[in-house]
Amino acid sequence: MSSSVKTSANLKTVDPVWDAMLVEARGICDAEPSLTAMVVSSVLNHGGFESALAHRLAARLDHSDVPADLIRQAFEDVLIDAPEIGAAARADLAATLERDPACHRAIDPFLFFKGYQAIQTHRFAHALWRSGRRDLAYYLQSRSSQVFQVDIHPAARIGKGIMLDHATGFVVGETAVIGDHVSILHDVTLGGTGKADEDRHPKIGNGVLLGAGAKILGNIRVGDCSRVAAGSVVLKEVPERTTVAGVPAKVVGEAGCSQPATVMDQIVMVPRD
């Protein structure tokens, strides 16, 4: 074996997210012994991020109807055919750590934040939906709604780098699409209009900020790097890099910055007519 091949074989796979979580997990065990069993089973007993993710989500979704072991096995099977779930989950974790001022460690969303856990559950449900295992996908949607108060149809398409803050009341319809690097506050609805069996839900561009309580209804597009103010009801297309506010929502100005999803400013002063 050549020296270059030996060197390559001895290289350790670099996974900074997982390495940080291992250090933080040991810190939790030292600081709060009552959580040691949970932290060990969720993180320290695993050889990598994907294995730990499947275990943690399955533990949260555990129910007598479908026990955690069966859910975990299904997730591990999904990861074989859809390894991109691991990369997206890392990107979501990094986004939460960067944008949420209440998040100070990589391990916090993984263990405790239901918005993060709900998005990852959807990623597995979506992969199952696409592979034809639609009954299990529907079950995961239903169980996630019960556990996390988040209801995302398994057919909905969601990009990477998503930060779902607080999460309670988040609803996403079947034909909705969410781009990359989007930040979403609680009580947001991406809903349809009417009951026709067609493409009827919103399309959210990249880098968008959806403020708390925003309702986006119908097959309309919210353009890249735009901002929907808290409490707004959006019924028409939103141009790129603009801010909309009100009921119904109207364009009230520019987005305020190049990356609204990163800045997380959802307060908009609407000028009087």
Side-chain angles (χ1 to χ4, degrees):
M1 182 182 292
S2 68
S3 60
S4 62
V5 173
K6 289 180 180 178
T7 301
S8 177
N10 290 331
L11 285 176
K12 178 181 180 294
T13 300
V14 176
D15 189 347
V17 171
W18 179 241
D19 291 343
M21 285 177 53
L22 290 175
V23 172
E24 292 161 356
R26 297 184 186 104
I28 292 174
C29 293
D30 291 339
E32 190 57 70
S34 63
L35 296 179
T36 295
M38 184 269 286
V39 172
V40 169
S41 66
S42 298
V43 179
L44 296 176
N45 270 354
H46 300 276
F49 179 84
E50 283 81 358
S51 173
L53 180 66
H55 182 279
R56 181 58 180 158
L57 295 178
R60 294 300 317 273
L61 298 166
D62 181 43
H63 190 274
S64 58
D65 286 345
V66 184
D69 286 347
L70 292 179
I71 296 174
R72 178 184 52 77
Q73 184 59 60
F75 286 175
E76 290 178 350
D77 292 343
V78 165
L79 285 165
I80 295 173
D81 295 323
E84 65 274 10
I85 288 176
R90 288 176 174 83
D92 296 343
L93 196 153
T96 305
L97 184 60
E98 175 190 11
R99 302 173 205 164
D100 185 352
C103 182
H104 305 290
R105 302 175 300 183
I107 202 170
D108 289 342
F110 185 91
L111 289 180
F112 306 123
F113 290 10
K114 67 179 183 178
Y116 177 80
Q117 294 168 350
I119 291 293
Q120 307 326 310
T121 299
H122 170 73
R123 295 196 186 284
F124 284 101
H126 182 67
L128 289 164
W129 180 269
R130 294 183 61 190
S131 70
R133 299 180 67 182
R134 295 193 170 186
D135 290 318
L136 183 53
Y138 271 136
Y139 175 80
L140 291 172
Q141 175 193 3
S142 174
R143 187 72 185 127
S144 181
S145 180
Q146 291 175 317
V147 175
F148 305 126
Q149 294 82 53
V150 170
D151 197 338
I152 308 173
H153 192 286
R157 291 178 286 159
I158 298 180
K160 60 184 181 296
I162 306 299
M163 199 277 278
L164 178 56
D165 194 21
H166 296 291
T168 301
F170 182 46
V171 176
V172 181
E174 177 184 14
T175 60
V177 178
I178 300 174
D180 296 333
H181 310 299
V182 174
S183 292
I184 306 164
L185 279 294
H186 58 281
D187 200 30
V188 166
T189 298
L190 305 182
T193 55
K195 54 184 293 185
D197 185 16
E198 58 188 20
D199 193 354
R200 61 195 183 279
H201 295 102
K203 311 298 181 281
I204 309 301
N206 301 322
V208 171
L209 171 62
L210 301 179
K215 315 299 179 189
I216 300 94
L217 304 178
N219 184 14
I220 58 176
R221 178 168 178 79
V222 176
D224 292 350
C225 299
S226 59
R227 180 172 60 155
V228 178
S232 299
V233 177
V234 183
L235 304 175
K236 296 181 180 180
E237 302 274 331
V238 177
E240 293 184 358
R241 298 178 175 84
T242 60
T243 294
V244 297
V247 182
K250 299 178 181 179
V251 174
V252 296
E254 298 180 351
C257 63
S258 61
Q259 293 291 329
T262 300
V263 176
M264 295 294 296
D265 181 6
Q266 58 172 327
I267 303 297
V268 178
M269 301 302 293
V270 180
R272 294 174 182 264
D273 292 332

